[in-house]
Each structure stands twice: as C-alpha cells, then as structure tokens.
Amino acid sequence: MLVAAIMDIVTSSCDGLDKVPLKPSLPGNAETGDIAAAIQVVEEGAMHLDEPNKNEDDEDGGKGMKGIGIKILGGTTVLGFSRTSGLMKLGNCDATHVESTRVTPKALVLQNKHDSSLVQASLSSAVVPGLWDDLHCEHVAVPFAAWALANWAMASEVNRSHIQELDQDGYAVMTALVAPERSVKWHGSLVARLLLEDRNLPLNDSVSDWSYSLLSTVSQASKNEDIPLVQVALSAFLVSVERSREAKKIVMEKGLHLMRDTAKRVTKHKHVQEALAKTLELLCTGDVHLSLEESQKWSGILLPWVFGKNSSDTVKSSAIKILSCILEDYGPSTVPISQGWLAIMITEILGSTKTSSVKGSTQPKSDKVKTQIDQSNILSAGLIANQLAGAVVNLAGNQLGIAPGSVDTFPLADLFSLEPFTGPLKNLKKDSIVKFDAADSALATLKGIKALTEICVEDSISQDKITGFGVLCLLRRFLLCDDYEKLAASEAYDASRTFEAQERVASGTGESATSDTNDSSSVRVPPTAHIRRHAARLLSILSLLPKVQKVIVADETWCKWLEDCANGNISGCSDPKIKSYARAALLNIFCNHQIERDSVNGPPSDTGIANRNNICPRYDDLVFLINPELPHWKCPEKVEDNTFRRHKSLLAEANTVSCEGTPVNTSANDGNFSSSVDVSFVGSQPESPLLDIVFVHGLRGGPYKSWRIAEDKSSTKSGLVEKIDQEAGKLGTFWPGEWLSSDFPQARMFTLKYKTNLTQWSGASLPLQEVSSMLLEKLVAAGVGNRPVVFVTHSMGGLVVKQMLYKAKAENIDNLVNNTIGVVFYSCPHFGSKLADMPWRMGLVFRPAPTIGELRSGSPRLVELNDFLRHFHKKGVLDVLSFCETKVTPIVEGYGGWAFRMEVVPIESAYPGFGELVVLESTDHINSCKPISRIDPSYKETLEFLQKMKARYK
C-alpha cells in the first residue's frame, strides 16, 4: 500500500526525533521544486496538484488533489492529507480510497502569529513528543513538509540557501512556528535555528517575529513540561537574539516576563537554564540594558542561579555577569540587591561550614582554642547575616515606599521569597516600615564583609566557594564605587527639599518648622572607608587563588585602582592598612602571573617549590607592608642566583646550633636547604633593599597603633585592663613608616598582626606556640628570610619571635634562622610578667587567656626559649637590643581617680642576659615603644642598632 510506504519512511526517522541535532534521513541534495513544494504546504496547509499542464503519467493519474507528494521523500508520489481534508485517518487507509477534496485558495491568510486560542489549546492538551503522533491525525501534510525541511536544512548548506531564497520573507518558517501541531513547531524551530546559525546566509527580515514566537513556544511548552520542545525552540531563540538587534529589542520590550516565568519552571533542567542564562546575558551586555524594575524582578531569578546546587558553572557565570551589569547601571538603587547577594553568600557559607564541622572528626586538644574561635566566628556571622537580611528588606521598603499590604506585588518580591529574607519580610507585612538610611545600610554591609572574611580567612574551600559565588563582583563594587555615599547624598538632598517645603508651609501659616528629621544636617555619613578597607582585606586573601588572579589581571580598571590605592592617590584610601592590602593583592597577582607567563614562553624551571617561594612571595593575611608606595615593593622581573651571600663562617657556626643549643654535624644539614645562598629581587627599582625589618606587637596591641608616637611617656587613662593599649598611640605619627623609612631607606618593612586577649571575657585567642607557627608560615611565604632580617618587638611580641625562630630551626627553615641578624625587644618579659602572675591569683575574676598563663614568672618554657636565643648571640650571628620600662602602668582604674598600677615587666625580666640594655626613664610598659621624638632613646637607639646591622652585612 502507498500509505505503508509513508509509514516505513517515517518509522525510520521518528525514534530520535526529539533529539538535537536531528539525523537527516532524506537525500542530502534536495530538488529545488521539492523544497518549494514543502514550503507551499507549510504556508497553505496543503499542496495543489490541480495546476495546469498536469503530467498524466503520474501515479495519481493527473487528478487534482490536495496533499504533499511523496516525491519529496524519495521519488514516489503519495499523498499526505491537508488540514482541510478530514475524510479519513491515515491508520487504515489505502490510496485508492482517497477522495478528491475541495480546493481552497492558495493564498491562505496566516493565523495571527500570537493567537493564543488555537495554539494554546493544542499545546495544553496531552501532547506526546514526536512526528509519529501527528501522523495519526488527519493533518498529515504540514507535519511531513516541516519534517522534510528540517532534514534538508541539516543536510547541506546548499539546501539551506535554497530554503532561504524560496522563503525570503520568512513566512513559511513563521507559519511553522505558530502551527497547532507540536511536531511542526519542533521542526520549524529547528529550521529557524539552522538558518540563523549559517553565517553565510543573510538575516531574514522576519527574525524578530521568529524570536518572539520561539519565546512564546518556550514559555508554553515549559508549562506543559515539554522539555524537548523547550530545548529546540530555546536554542533557536538564543541564536536569534545573538544575531539580530531587532530581536533583542522585541524581547526586551515584551518578552522578559516570558523568560522569567520559564526560568521559574525549569529549575531542574540544567541545559535549559544555561540557554536562558546565556540569552539574558546577551540581552543585558548589549546596547539595550534591563530597566531598574526589570533588574529588581530578575534579581530573584539570578541569585538562585548563582547559589543553586543544580546550577552549572555556565549558568553561574552568566548570572554573575548580568548582576554585575545591573549594579553598574543603577548604582545606589541596587544596594538592596548587592546586600542581598552578600547576605545569601554568608548564609550559604555558614551552611556548608556547619555541615563540614558535623561530618568532621573530633578536634585534638591543640586545636580546641582554634575550634572555639571558629565556632565564635560562625555564631557571630549567623547573627550578622540575619541583621543584613533585615537591612535589605528595610532599605528596599524605604527606597520603594512599599506599603505593608502590597509587599507581594513589588519588584523585589521574588528576591524576598528566598532565605534569609522571609523572616524580615513577615515583620514588614505586619508592622509599618522602619526608618532606615544609608548609614544603617552601610554599617550592615560592613559587618557582613567582616563576618565573611573571618569565616574564610583560613579556609581555602570557603574561599573557593565564595569566588564561585561572585564575591569579586561585590568587592569590585565596594572598592571602586561609592554607592553608599551617593545614597546618603540623595537622602540629604531629599531631606533638604522636604524641610524647605515645610518652611514654606509654616511661613504661610505663621508657624515655624521644627522637624529635625528632615534637616539635611541630620543625615549620617556612612562608614564607606571601613567598607573599602575590609573589602580590600578580603581581596588580598583571595588574590592567592589562581582563578582570582586571572580575573583581576584581565580587568585594567581594577588594576589601576589598586595601584593608585597602594600609592595613596585615591581620596578616602589613605589608611595604611588598605594601602597594604592593595599592594599585597597586586604582588600576589602579577608575580604569579609573570612566572606563569615565563613558564609558557621558556623552558620549564627545575628550581622547585622552595625556590618558587623565593622568586614569588605570597603576601597573606596579617602581614602588612609598610609604605607600600615605595619602589622596592615591585614584582620582580627576573631573578639572579647568588646575588647575595652571608659570610660563610657565620652561617657554618649558626648551623652547628640545634634547637636545644647543642652542637650538631654541619654535614647533616647540607642539601636540605640552600642556606648559604639567598635570592634577591631585581625589578624596576634601581637597588634591592639590604634588610627586612619586621615589627611584632604585644598583648592587646596592633600592627599600627602599637608603633605610633606618644605625646608623653605616661599611659592614657583607661578604665579596664583590656584597654591598656586601645587609646595610647591611637592617633599620631606611625614612626616606622614616617621616621624610620626616611632615616633608614635601605630596608623593606613589615608589621604583623595577631589576636591576643588578657582575659577570656574578650573571646578566645591562640596560645603562644600556635600564634608563632601561624606567623612563621606567613613570613616564610612572604619571602622573609631571603635577605638579612631584624625583628622589632614589643612585650609579648618578643616571645612570639623567639618561639618562631625556635620552630623554624626545628623544621629546618634555615634561611630565616640564619638570616635573622638582630632582634629589638621593647619591654619583653623574657622571664615572665607580673601582669601574668596577678590573674592566676584572681582567676575567678579575670579568667586569664591561655597566652597570659604562658607569661608567668619562672616559666620553664620562657627559660628554654631564652637559652636558645643566647646561643646565637654567643656565636656572633645575632645582635640583641633591649629596652626596659621604669614606671608603673595603670591596670584597673576605679572611682575618684583611684587606679591599680603595677610594673608589668621589671628590669630583671626585660633584660635577657645578653646584648645591649637601654633603660627608658619615666616610661611605662605601654609607651616603651612609642617615642616622643627622633631624639627619644626608644627611637634613636633602635636607628643606631639598625645602622650597625647594615654596616656589618652590606
């Protein structure tokens, strides 16, 4: 039977029909007449065989019938029924039973392209994918024609060219796209995609119409969970948006809601999400961008894409790019979006951190304090995440003027349906909107950045996660832009206008305007400088990750900002910490980038990991660069071996000293580390520094505040023991950066930070050994030890350095041990402190921190560390300068000016028993490292000591 011939041909091609791409099953080179016939059938719903000059030799006997000739399918004339036939179904029929049908006009009117009645009714029914199912109905002609066109379009470029020529107005493709049959839509979408992907073909004028029709198909098919149809239509839609500006314009005007609805329905289908995300990226990164309202609506889709567990890297990348464009386009108006991004990020990291801690094993005793600190950070971050979520909701409510009853309809409704915003949103629905300004919002953001940093600072897994969550986009925004300042300025302007209006009304009534809330002077200044500083800190931590380095290297604007910030050329970025963070980030990024580039251009290096660290230092958190604008803080352009050597005799003697102070065989250490050869950097600077000077603060000190000059040598008044160093030196000259750098320019200078507390009331802090181990690792990574080093320490900082050198020797980190040529001790408790003795007698009141317990007088560990350092001094490889306080220090201050005072480090503990000792007259413990002037002994003696070191090892 002729119908059987149709079935045989169709059966061979229907099994994989819904897979893209479709495997052609027709002859590769189609006759132009066959293509024209198929196009005619698609356009008119039938093909007219009752044309003049019929060939009576045809198998149909020259009868005028309406259908599609099977010549298209292989040279045999068989009829498929048109939509208007309806005489019989194809299942049990014979060609002899086919009756001639009524001839309809050739130029049928195309149904409305976006008519929902026919199309929606067809799709809303139970549609089973595949051409075969459409063949079991009467309307066979159009499905056959669309199927044939799709096969031909896939087969060859020549066929596509003929289809384009014969359908110049795009009418046939458009007709297929709005056809009621599912298979026609499917094949029409495939034809559209193939034509659009062929860059040798000119764009059709109907592409914009195709685009919207394809999007309508995607939306409707997603409702019916017809994912194969969604995929093929969406793939064509993506290409149309990519190639046609008119298509972009149409979609931006009236198609974005369809894309959003589709995105909500296909969350489980990764490939569909990728196509939607890529399409939206094309729309947003072109000439036409999303409106503010659309941006707000899309934020509830984009952020789940960023954080979704089912989201692919492609989806996340596109979502981050789109969000970045939104923040760039609308600045201060998008603060709720950027804050919401940060809040969700903290929540996600907290969730993964808690999960890993539950799965983890029991912590060893040595890690208990660190675990306590981590748990404290996690608890604090959870509270801050909730506060930040509340800030997002409150700020949005104030910006958009949302009434409590209309919360569900405003643009950010989808965003606020996510965690952690549901709780604050419920409160907004119940209560009136709380007054919330830019300063409140900025403070919440500041806390969020600090909390995120503390969670991730020592956790490389969390660092990698937040990088994947787009934290760089947020950091770039916080650093380079001033959204909160603009927001505050806008609030001040609105307040002044409101106040002026009230004054005009009051002057008309004879009353005075007394409202202070609308006065522009009442608008608070947001803490943007602090936001930038903590954002820069997080960036410097992340700058050690290769993926972060690639992003910033490619961003010229960001690189220039970091360079200007490090040089102090940006207003509001004069803080020494943010300058150090900026320079450290640049060094981490470009030094590694330079090495990778050299490894690509040249032969592989066999210098090993140790030498790689020498060539390319890693500036990690808690290591601050003093005066990062100086020329010696440059990434090395090349490295010359053997450019700096210590005196071999001194090194040999140093190598004979073990950790316990007993002689060892020098040959045992040979080959482990190249102790006698140091590597110096040769960059754009004319001369490399001769020395490294590292400042290490003491209890309750800081990397900068401990080293600021004092107005006098008496401590500032303080009411609590925990604040003995909070106020002293808070303002004033940072003498290492301003005095020492000019008086002793031959050195690179670092200052370190570590957390210390006197009591456990202020939180947990690491014991001495853990602090020393952590700082040792960071200093070695930063290249400290590759040239002569002098440590300048205050109080407990001296013990940290002694423990650090002890551990370095035990672990054969010979460069640092052998190149440490001097240590300056300001009021260091070499043999213990009276301050440490007092809490142990009053433990119930003070709850001393573990660090304080290690400073008790007569501690065997302190004696052991002192003996270790004594051996190096005795061998002549280490010089020591010590300072001693002579005045009691106020510890606890009571009412009426009464204060409990004590000598924190007496002279017998401040002098280690070797090296020089300088007694500072009328100076207490806090101010022993805070000179009043350049002629103050606490500065003058240190400068002379450094000059002596330089002369000896130059």
Side-chain angles (χ1 to χ4, degrees), residues 474-481 532 535-536 539 558 561 578:
L474 289 177
L475 295 181
R476 191 183 192 279
R477 191 74 200 168
F478 295 146
L479 291 171
L480 274 64
C481 304
R532 283 196 177 97
L539 178 65
W558 203 349
W561 187 93
I578 191 174

Side-chain angles (χ1 to χ4, degrees), residues 458 622 753-754 766 770-778:
E458 299 293 340
L622 308 180
K753 177 183 178 181
Y754 61 98
L766 292 174
E770 280 73 10
V771 169
S772 301
S773 298
M774 175 188 66
L775 294 179
L776 172 62
E777 181 181 351
K778 294 178 184 294

Side-chain angles (χ1 to χ4, degrees), residues 789-841:
V789 185
V790 176
F791 289 97
V792 180
T793 71
H794 176 239
S795 188
M796 180 184 162
L799 302 181
V800 170
V801 169
K802 289 161 80 172
Q803 173 64 37
M804 190 162 48
L805 293 174
Y806 183 93
K807 185 175 180 61
K809 185 63 182 177
E811 296 183 358
N812 294 327
I813 306 177
D814 294 336
N815 272 4
L816 179 62
V817 176
N818 297 332
N819 282 339
T820 299
I821 60 175
V823 183
V824 177
F825 295 108
Y826 286 100
S827 297
C828 175
H830 296 284
F831 303 106
S833 168
K834 292 182 179 179
L835 181 65
D837 295 336
M838 180 184 68
W840 284 101
R841 300 191 193 101

Side-chain angles (χ1 to χ4, degrees), residues 232-432:
V232 70
L234 189 55
S235 65
F237 173 66
L238 172 58
V239 183
S240 71
V241 170
E242 183 180 357
R243 292 203 60 189
S244 171
R245 293 184 61 183
E246 287 299 318
K248 290 180 182 178
K249 185 177 179 181
I250 290 290
V251 175
M252 292 292 279
E253 288 177 356
K254 57 182 182 179
L256 290 174
H257 69 285
L258 296 177
M259 291 183 63
R260 265 199 319 277
D261 292 341
T262 303
K264 295 176 184 178
R265 300 185 195 112
V266 296
T267 55
K268 297 180 180 179
H269 302 282
K270 193 173 295 185
H271 295 297
V272 178
Q273 277 190 333
E274 288 180 357
L276 282 171
K278 186 64 178 177
T279 305
L280 188 63
E281 181 186 344
L282 289 172
L283 292 170
C284 295
T285 55
D287 298 333
V288 183
H289 293 185
L290 294 175
S291 67
L292 175 59
E293 183 176 353
E294 282 293 341
S295 299
Q296 293 168 337
K297 291 178 179 178
W298 271 101
S299 65
I301 304 292
L302 295 169
L303 288 175
W305 278 354
V306 171
F307 296 100
K309 294 179 181 176
N310 294 326
S311 298
S312 65
D313 291 340
T314 302
V315 171
K316 291 182 180 180
S317 175
S318 294
I320 290 170
K321 289 178 183 177
I322 297 165
L323 285 166
S324 179
C325 289
I326 290 173
L327 300 186
E328 187 72 24
D329 289 342
Y330 299 106
S333 299
T334 62
V335 167
I337 297 176
S338 62
Q339 278 190 321
W341 194 348
L342 180 60
I344 298 175
M345 190 178 299
I346 296 173
T347 303
E348 288 290 327
I349 293 299
L350 284 175
S352 60
T353 302
K354 290 177 181 177
T355 302
S356 60
S357 63
V358 170
K359 294 180 179 179
S361 58
T362 305
Q363 295 289 332
K365 291 183 179 180
S366 60
D367 289 340
K368 280 187 176 181
V369 176
K370 185 178 185 305
T371 302
Q372 185 180 353
I373 295 174
D374 292 341
Q375 290 175 347
S376 175
N377 289 335
I378 291 173
L379 179 62
S380 174
L383 296 174
I384 289 172
N386 292 331
Q387 294 174 5
L388 188 58
V392 173
V393 173
N394 288 327
L395 181 63
N398 279 268
Q399 280 187 335
L400 302 176
I402 305 302
S406 61
V407 170
D408 295 330
T409 60
F410 77 116
L412 290 170
D414 285 339
L415 174 61
F416 290 168
S417 66
L418 308 173
E419 290 293 341
F421 309 110
T422 53
L425 185 64
K426 289 179 181 178
N427 295 332
L428 184 64
K429 290 179 179 180
K430 295 177 182 178
D431 307 324
S432 60

